[in-house]
Amino acid sequence: MNSNVACAYEAPFLAPPRPVWLPFTTIKDLTISGKTITDDTLALLTGLTELERLSSDGIQLTDAGYKQFAAFRKLKSLSFFHPAFRSERFTGSGLVHLKVLPKLEKLTFAGSTAGDAALEAIGQLTQLKEFRTWHTAQTQAGNAHLVKLTNLTGLRIGQRLPEWGKDSPISLSESSMETLAQIKTLESLELTEARLSAKIIPHLKALPKLTRLKIETVDISAADVEAIKAALPGCKVEHKPMSESEKEALLVKKLRL
């Protein structure tokens, strides 16, 4: 019998006892979601010390709540989708508490109203090897914090979501590439939801270890893509063209680029 599985038993000739629930302390993969995941309820999970991969959506932690992740010392991969959306109690600065996790290699931070404070905190997680972010409130200035990730080999970076009624500076453009070109350890780069051209070639060539480039949901001409491929013969370039209707729906109406 697996000692980590909840079970119930009945002794012969006796009234059945109450079920005995054994804790799933050896869980390695966990997905949590919803507004019921708060600082208090996350505390109930800190006994899961064998966790290696944790994915979340819509959790409502404050910045202070992220201190509790210190209990998950074996975490290798962590994903936050829509964390504490529009909550004033979460600026993203609390992500700095993740730096105590020695094995954390992969982090996703997406769909958040937290911005540059979150990027500043993430820039201190120098153990990261892969980072993915899109639909956040960061600015292009916030991207500069990613240069501090000296072990980063994989990066997916996409556009912020605009806040209606307010000025929302874009977070990914051709000028962003000057910053990304400083992450010399990059081997894989994914660019999404932007307007780009062959002008980014010098910045891409400044990445000596780049072997994979993915250009997805980006307004860029076929000729410019071919120019990028020619300029990077040792790099696999992946690109799926956008239709005019897709550009209008996503880049113009949704992202206001």
Side-chain angles (χ1 to χ4, degrees):
M1 181 179 71
N2 187 337
S3 62
N4 295 304
V5 177
C7 62
Y9 67 89
E10 183 177 344
F13 311 114
L14 296 174
R18 293 181 179 180
V20 178
W21 299 98
L22 302 178
F24 290 84
T25 55
T26 58
I27 289 177
K28 293 186 177 182
D29 292 83
L30 181 65
T31 297
I32 56 178
S33 64
K35 295 183 178 180
T36 58
I37 306 299
T38 63
D39 294 4
D40 292 336
T41 53
L42 181 65
L44 302 176
L45 302 177
T46 54
L48 303 179
T49 55
E50 298 298 311
L51 274 183
E52 295 181 0
R53 291 166 290 276
L54 176 61
S55 179
S56 69
D57 190 356
I59 62 175
Q60 299 296 304
L61 301 185
T62 67
D63 286 303
Y66 283 78
K67 292 180 181 179
Q68 298 183 80
F69 282 94
F72 310 123
R73 301 285 292 178
K74 295 186 179 181
L75 269 181
K76 298 178 181 178
S77 177
L78 188 52
S79 298
F80 297 109
F81 297 101
H82 314 105
F85 201 77
R86 293 197 177 98
S87 172
E88 295 181 358
R89 301 181 67 197
F90 178 62
T91 66
S93 61
L95 294 169
V96 72
H97 297 301
L98 303 179
K99 67 181 181 181
V100 301
L101 301 176
K103 297 185 178 182
L104 185 63
E105 296 183 347
K106 300 180 181 180
L107 177 65
T108 296
F109 184 71
S112 175
T113 46
D116 289 354
L119 269 290
E120 182 177 5
I122 290 168
Q124 299 183 53
L125 310 181
T126 54
Q127 72 272 44
L128 290 181
K129 293 184 179 179
E130 296 183 26
F131 178 55
R132 295 157 30 101
T133 185
W134 62 94
H135 292 183
T136 66
Q138 75 203 60
T139 67
Q140 295 193 86
N143 295 336
H145 295 292
L146 300 180
V147 177
K148 305 170 188 175
L149 300 177
T150 54
N151 291 301
L152 200 66
T153 59
L155 174 64
R156 174 186 171 92
I157 185 167
Q159 198 63 250
R160 56 81 179 113
L161 284 180
E163 187 172 355
W164 294 105
K166 294 184 179 181
D167 181 33
S168 301
I170 61 177
S171 61
L172 180 63
S173 68
E174 292 179 349
S175 60
S176 305
M177 296 305 300
E178 184 175 353
T179 297
L180 302 184
Q182 299 176 51
I183 311 176
K184 302 300 182 181
T185 51
L186 282 182
E187 299 173 8
S188 174
L189 176 60
E190 298 184 24
L191 305 172
T192 181
E193 300 181 339
R195 297 186 186 277
L196 303 174
S197 72
K199 292 179 180 180
I200 67 174
I201 288 177
H203 303 305
L204 294 172
K205 293 181 70 174
L207 297 171
K209 297 184 178 182
L210 192 66
T211 57
R212 176 178 176 266
L213 173 65
K214 185 174 183 178
I215 303 174
E216 182 181 38
T217 55
V218 169
D219 182 11
I220 185 172
S221 72
D224 284 345
V225 171
E226 291 305 311
I228 290 173
K229 290 180 178 180
L232 304 173
C235 179
K236 180 181 178 181
V237 179
E238 305 171 27
H239 172 248
K240 181 181 178 180
M242 294 184 74
S243 67
E244 292 304 316
S245 61
E246 288 173 330
K247 293 177 186 177
E248 178 67 19
L250 178 61
L251 301 184
V252 177
K253 293 183 178 180
K254 183 177 182 179
L255 297 175
R256 291 192 287 156
L257 298 184

